[in-house]
């Protein structure tokens, strides 16, 4: 955008916008909100003309206002009009987005995903998982009934110690003991 192209909102003069930018440079968030309200529509249209997609222009506008906020203290009114300075930021961000290479390649009908090996399909992995599951089941069956119940409620239902105590109608200390001793017994069994 060339300087002097008239990017002044109907309600905000260059002086007012420069004052808002100065306040933003001092960390004044309400000034940023007012600046956004006064300029976002025009800045959005600048971006939209370049990127041609509403969602991309919204992304650029958000990124540009973060940049404006972070650099407002560096704005020098004698060098350019406030709207020109902000429009330049939006324009540059928009051009960066348009020029950015497309990294993601669309995978229609999951063609690429179908070429990846399925680790669960490997027979040796399935056999190892079955062995582990069998060992875990055997170790759980070797626990005392109270330990098994407390551990199941804690780990499979996600209950807290207090909730388990209320559910089993036992003191919380007893529940903690059952869980601690049960886990120690499970660890010993699984390591054997």
């Amino acid at each position: 955008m060339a300087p002097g192209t008239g990017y002044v909102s109907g309600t905000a003069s260059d002086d007012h916008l420069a004052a808002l930018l100065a306040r933003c440079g001092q960390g004044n968030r309400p000034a940023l909100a007012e600046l956004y309200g006064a300029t976002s529509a025009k800045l959005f249209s600048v971006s939209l003309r370049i990127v041609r997609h509403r969602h991309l222009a919204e992304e650029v506008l958000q990124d540009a206002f973060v940049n404006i906020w972070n650099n407002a203290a560096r704005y020098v009114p004698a060098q350019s009009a406030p709207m020109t300075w902000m429009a330049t930021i939006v324009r540059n961000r928009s051009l960066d987005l348009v020029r950015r290479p497309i990294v993601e390649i669309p995978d229609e009908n999951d063609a690429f995903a179908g070429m990846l090996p399925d680790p669960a399909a490997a027979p040796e992995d399935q056999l190892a998982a079955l062995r582990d599951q069998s060992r875990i089941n055997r170790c759980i069956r070797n626990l005392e009934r109270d330990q098994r119940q407390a551990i199941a409620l804690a780990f499979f239902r996600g209950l807290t110690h207090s909730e388990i105590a209320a559910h089993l109608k036992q003191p919380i200390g007893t529940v903690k003991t059952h869980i601690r001793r049960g886990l120690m017994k499970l660890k010993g069994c699984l390591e054997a």
Side-chain angles (χ1 to χ4, degrees), residues 107-149:
D107 185 12
E108 295 181 23
N109 302 325
D110 293 328
F112 295 128
M115 293 189 299
L116 297 173
D118 182 6
E124 61 273 5
D125 292 339
Q126 289 178 350
L127 183 59
L130 283 173
R131 283 186 195 141
D132 289 345
Q133 184 63 45
S134 174
R135 214 166 94 219
I136 292 169
N137 287 339
R138 180 179 43 81
C139 290
I140 289 175
R141 279 194 306 271
N142 289 337
L143 294 176
E144 294 174 16
R145 186 178 67 78
D146 290 337
Q147 293 172 346
R148 193 170 43 247
Q149 277 184 316

Side-chain angles (χ1 to χ4, degrees), residues 17-29 31-44 46 59-76 81-93:
L17 293 177
L20 288 174
L21 281 169
R23 287 176 31 213
C24 286
Q26 297 167 348
N28 186 315
R29 291 184 187 274
L32 179 65
E34 187 178 342
L35 183 68
Y36 182 87
T39 61
S40 62
K42 290 189 186 250
L43 294 175
F44 177 78
V46 169
E59 180 183 325
V60 165
L61 189 65
Q62 178 181 351
D63 190 39
F65 267 96
V66 168
N67 192 305
I68 289 167
W69 171 257
N70 290 332
N71 293 294
R74 294 185 187 137
Y75 169 68
V76 179
M83 199 61 180
T84 302
W85 183 74
M86 291 185 292
T88 301
I89 291 172
V90 170
R91 178 184 172 277
N92 290 341
R93 294 282 174 177

Side-chain angles (χ1 to χ4, degrees), residues 151-170:
I151 289 174
L153 290 171
F155 291 96
F156 299 121
R157 293 227 180 128
L159 299 182
T160 64
H161 291 137
S162 304
E163 293 169 333
I164 295 168
H167 182 78
L168 296 176
K169 297 182 177 104
Q170 294 180 349

